[in-house]
Amino acid sequence: MARSIITLTTDFGLSDHFVAVMKGVILGIHPAAHIVDITHDVGAFEIAEAAFVVAEASRWFPRGTVHVVVVDPGVGTARRPILAQAEGQIYLAPDNGVLSMVYARGPHKVRTLTAEKLFLDPVSATFHGRDIFAPVAARLAQGLAPARCGKLVKDYLRQEFHRPVRTSRRAWTGAVLKIDRFGNLITNFHIQEFPALASRPFRLAIGALQITELAATFAQGPPGEPVLLVGSSGYLEVAVNQASAANLLGVASGAPAELTLW
Amino acid sequence: MARSIITLTTDFGLSDHFVAVMKGVILGIHPAAHIVDITHDVGAFEIAEAAFVVAEASRWFPRGTVHVVVVDPGVGTARRPILAQAEGQIYLAPDNGVLSMVYARGPHKVRTLTAEKLFLDPVSATFHGRDIFAPVAARLAQGLAPARCGKLVKDYLRQEFHRPVRTSRRAWTGAVLKIDRFGNLITNFHIQEFPALASRPFRLAIGALQITELAATFAQGPPGEPVLLVGSSGYLEVAVNQASAANLLGVASGAPAELTLW
Amino acid sequence: MARSIITLTTDFGLSDHFVAVMKGVILGIHPAAHIVDITHDVGAFEIAEAAFVVAEASRWFPRGTVHVVVVDPGVGTARRPILAQAEGQIYLAPDNGVLSMVYARGPHKVRTLTAEKLFLDPVSATFHGRDIFAPVAARLAQGLAPARCGKLVKDYLRQEFHRPVRTSRRAWTGAVLKIDRFGNLITNFHIQEFPALASRPFRLAIGALQITELAATFAQGPPGEPVLLVGSSGYLEVAVNQASAANLLGVASGAPAELTLW
């Protein structure tokens, strides 16, 4: 392949110079790199949201893509940088759980990023995206073997925010993972883990809302009425035809979602 | 040409994974595709605004560019996907009128996108951008002939929001097409359709504002005073030197604009 | 090199067609150009902010990169377009001081952009980004010599907003250059110009805040307490662990910062 793809996911926003600096460092090392922004609008310091976005977006990229994730409230403290391999993709991120939803999908390997000769010199305390992740991503996209970046580790951080907890024989407590741009509430109930929803009676409660039916499309409900559907990622989501479910229901990211299945 | 250009216009915003997923699908099929974002900040479900932005931006791209437009309040219902060819450019969009301002510029051909073998399998009810438009765009950018995508149709949807309506011998009712980032009011009066504005007395009324003169530049008016000028797209627009006309005048997109020409 | 890099910095935002139009013009002339957005969210008409972002981002790009800056409250009046060369980079911008922080870093040459045959024809009064800067950037990225664009000049505009003013033997008045996305206050005190801060007692006052210590990382302070540190660009900045210093302290961009050094 003539060039390799690097994606970027950060909480830097696009009004500062930070994202462009990372791109400059990458292109200085690997001028033919093809850089794709996933998002830079992760809520500042929202690890769960970043974990969801990275897991959902990265799986659609060609094998061998290098995904850089820089969302780290603990920068400057002890979050070590890591390299993960999963589903033919390569991830660079701080070891703060932001790759948990990638890990959850299947076999994966994790290394600590310790090969300091790959980093910019000196490494600042405040901008690992520029000093560590960007140069290592550029080298990986040029073909550097992941094994050259550091040793395999087992004690990386995994968080379980993506998975509902069973609270009784018929009941689970999940959460709203993310409010998307349209105000849809994306829950962490995945249709593959709850296939019975398609055929058995159920009740999903989020805030004051109770829903007992699965709809096929956004447009199925009358305007203004919430419908439950399987979103494009396979997660159950609550949507309102041409309106924001989040505003209508007063629900925020992280809100609990209670499922009962008979 | 070594690679082909694909532009994206959506109402997905940039904080979710949706846009990146479309890019991943495109690059998985056509790794050398050159993807350019037009905008992802179309007001959710604003077809007129998207129609304007796409028509104004796309005309500056090289011939053969593939423009993907995903702005569709009706996704999941009966909006069929279409392929249009106009001015040497290729457009993919839902058949909801979002290409009306492209059609208005001259000869064009429209096809229904029916070649399901080009789509992802299965096609979801909620994300045609990923499942239909992205893979077809990638194949077109690789050189696939538009005729392979589906049959020519005549019954595609055209809307006339871009064109003022004549209400008497000397009067037209138009509208504010869009408020731009600077707060300028872009109307749907195009100087090519109203060349007399440059030489004859006129009055343009928007809300409480009445303007009777055409200025040459933004900076011509004293600070705080609205001026009327021919914008960079050829449409008449109301601007205020170093301030937002929309805020100052309390005018929103869609507001009527009344022209009288003597 | 197979292709050349062009960066774009504007105050156009990303919801209008303006940025995409510039990209279309560039790609129409030079289809292999590699365009990188620095930011399009410069506060409308904020020259100091743009000057900082461009100077900080551009230095990380490979030599020979063409940086286009379109932030100009005076468009349509007498701001002439210029081309600057500094540190192996090429800049295109209006002559309004937006390159002052690039000039401040060392030797540089400035030319007026007068080679009208390189421009689009006609040149509009309102969109120099499309009509002048985009086509010239494309030609430079193809290898055109800067000397072909216009003559060297000495009377270009330099502003000194990046540099604190000495007000007594021990005191300097500086300013908050920019509030970044995290709410950090980036001042114009650079550690290379004030190395004594690392070893001598000092007091930095911004609004009601007084700080007398330099921290090593964001996370050093207790949550909610402002810390002073050397930011990733070398400028002193005030940050609050996991919160916005700007909100907490009620400080805006441009606010004075008073340094006393004993």
Side-chain angles (χ1 to χ4, degrees), chain A residues 203-227:
Chain A
R203 185 185 62 219
L204 183 75
I206 301 178
L209 173 73
Q210 301 219 350
I211 294 196
T212 58
E213 266 187 319
L214 208 52
T217 77
F218 283 108
Q220 194 157 319
E225 190 156 312
V227 297

Side-chain angles (χ1 to χ4, degrees), chain A residues 3 10-18 20-21 23-25 27-28 31-35 37 40-45 73-77 120 124-127 130-131, chain C residues 1 3 5 14 34 36-42 49 52-54 56-58 60-62 178-182 186 216-220 229-233 241-243:
Chain A
R3 58 174 180 178
T10 76
D11 59 1
F12 294 161
L14 287 168
S15 56
D16 297 317
H17 55 290
F18 306 123
V21 165
K23 294 181 180 176
V25 170
L27 294 170
H34 186 171
I35 304 172
D37 297 303
H40 301 290
D41 283 333
V42 173
F45 314 128
V75 71
T77 59
L120 295 198
S124 70
T126 52
F127 197 179
R130 176 190 69 194
D131 302 333
Chain C
M1 224 178 69
R3 57 176 181 178
I5 301 166
L14 288 168
H34 185 170
V36 178
D37 297 303
I38 290 189
T39 183
H40 300 290
D41 284 333
V42 172
E49 190 183 328
F52 172 75
V53 170
V54 168
E56 288 308 312
S58 62
W60 297 94
F61 279 79
K178 188 169 196 303
I179 310 290
D180 76 12
R181 140 102 160 170
F182 302 100
I186 303 175
T217 78
F218 283 107
Q220 193 157 320
L229 42 80
V230 179
S232 56
S233 305
N241 195 4
Q242 303 202 27

Side-chain angles (χ1 to χ4, degrees), chain C residues 117-134:
Chain C
K117 67 179 184 299
L118 302 173
F119 305 167
L120 296 197
D121 181 21
V123 168
S124 71
T126 52
F127 197 178
H128 287 179
R130 176 190 69 195
D131 302 333
I132 295 178
F133 295 116

Side-chain angles (χ1 to χ4, degrees), chain B residues 69-120:
Chain B
V69 185
V70 193
V71 178
D72 192 13
V75 70
T77 60
R79 306 290 191 180
R80 63 184 173 180
I82 54 171
L83 181 160
Q85 291 167 270
E87 296 181 315
Q89 315 268 342
I90 299 174
Y91 298 85
L92 298 175
D95 185 20
N96 60 11
V98 76
L99 298 180
S100 297
M101 292 182 77
V102 169
Y103 302 152
R105 274 217 296 265
H108 55 276
K109 288 190 291 190
V110 179
R111 297 170 185 279
T112 46
L113 267 188
T114 52
E116 292 177 19
K117 67 179 186 297
L118 302 173
F119 304 167
L120 294 199

